[in-house]
Amino acid sequence: GNSVTQMEGPVTLSEEAFLTINCTYTATGYPSLFWYVQYPGEGLQLLLKATKADDKGSNKGFEATYRKETTSFHLEKGSVQVSDSAVYFCALTAGSEKLTFGTGTRLTIIP
Amino acid sequence: EAGVAQSPRYKIIEKRQSVAFWCNPISGHATLYWYQQILGQGPKLLIQFQNNGVVDDSQLPKDRFSAERLKGVDSTLKIQPAKLEDSAVYLCASSLDGITGELFFGEGSRLTVL
């Protein structure tokens, strides 16, 4: 079956630091990959997505590249801000399969 | 545009009691989902509706959980009787077509079973 393995947290960084949150996946077929984010007190929301190999999803300064050869979709940001503190979930869907989430990575940015 | 609405936001009950959660999806979204998110885990799909028909309920504990989506709009999720391990946040989400993986989530309903 489909599965997502995420970097365990929590992750604590100083403001303006470089961020990487690792995500690898196992899937049959050709999955679409997603990063969802949950800010404190809010619902999950889509951050970015990529639907085929070598695609790069980007939003709000975050990027992730769909790497089929390494089955990875790592989330990166060059300079994090306090407002980026949240829980980040990697997820995938393959065909009509349901969206499968990783366990989430809690990120805290210190001023 | 209004988002996905859920209620109640918080509920505390004792084991063996019953509870119901309500969800109103984004207008025009055909697909509605209920997810269970246990502390420290990612959301797990309980049930997916396409309009008012069930697409996937393979992970719904049908001996105690039930869900319906009347008229293809609002939905309710019921737990009866509740167990301690049902303590979680219940997330409702909707999407236009149920295919792209782009879901819009509500803020969730946090259940504590004592």
Side-chain angles (χ1 to χ4, degrees):
Chain A
N2 300 331
S3 67
V4 175
T5 302
Q6 257 184 264
M7 171 179 177
E8 291 200 13
V11 174
T12 303
L13 295 172
S14 298
E15 206 166 19
E16 299 183 2
F18 184 86
L19 168 71
T20 300
I21 300 178
N22 290 338
C23 171
T24 57
Y25 66 89
T26 301
T28 54
Y30 301 95
S32 294
L33 302 173
F34 306 82
W35 278 99
Y36 277 80
V37 59
Q38 188 170 30
Y39 297 105
E42 300 183 16
L44 276 160
Q45 56 187 272
L46 179 65
L47 179 60
L48 54 85
K49 70 172 186 178
T51 58
K52 61 182 187 294
D54 300 325
D55 266 4
K56 178 185 287 188
S58 61
N59 186 23
K60 298 182 179 181
F62 290 89
E63 293 183 340
T65 301
Y66 187 161
R67 301 285 188 199
K68 187 178 176 184
E69 62 276 15
T70 54
T71 61
S72 65
F73 193 56
H74 304 322
L75 182 68
E76 296 181 335
K77 186 174 185 181
S79 177
V80 293
Q81 305 300 314
V82 172
S83 57
D84 294 326
S85 297
V87 182
Y88 293 81
F89 292 90
C90 187
L92 70 81
T93 184
S96 59
E97 288 289 319
K98 59 181 179 282
L99 195 62
T100 299
F101 286 89
T103 54
T105 302
R106 181 176 297 277
L107 174 67
T108 301
I109 306 301
I110 299 172
Chain B
E1 178 183 82
V4 176
Q6 289 190 247
S7 67
R9 289 292 309 279
Y10 305 93
K11 188 75 175 178
I12 300 173
I13 62 173
E14 295 190 350
K15 59 184 179 183
R16 292 188 288 275
Q17 287 186 325
S18 63
V19 62
F21 301 110
W22 172 83
C23 173
N24 180 243
I26 292 174
S27 177
H29 280 194
T31 311
L32 184 147
Y33 311 79
W34 283 102
Y35 281 83
Q36 180 192 57
Q37 186 178 11
I38 294 173
L39 187 65
Q41 299 181 19
K44 182 186 82 171
L45 180 68
L46 292 176
I47 189 167
Q48 177 183 344
F49 293 94
Q50 183 74 15
N51 295 308
N52 59 352
V54 175
V55 173
D56 183 347
D57 64 356
S58 57
Q59 297 194 81
L60 186 73
K62 298 180 185 64
D63 57 334
R64 298 184 300 104
F65 286 64
S66 64
E68 60 182 8
R69 189 182 185 195
L70 298 177
K71 301 181 181 178
V73 182
D74 292 6
S75 177
T76 56
L77 175 71
K78 296 179 182 178
I79 308 173
Q80 182 180 12
K83 292 185 175 181
L84 296 177
E85 59 261 36
D86 298 333
S87 294
V89 178
Y90 292 86
L91 302 169
C92 180
S94 68
S95 69
L96 269 175
D97 55 17
I99 296 174
T100 62
E102 296 184 38
L103 275 58
F104 294 80
F105 284 84
E107 293 179 338
S109 295
R110 181 178 297 277
L111 173 66
T112 302
V113 182
L114 302 176

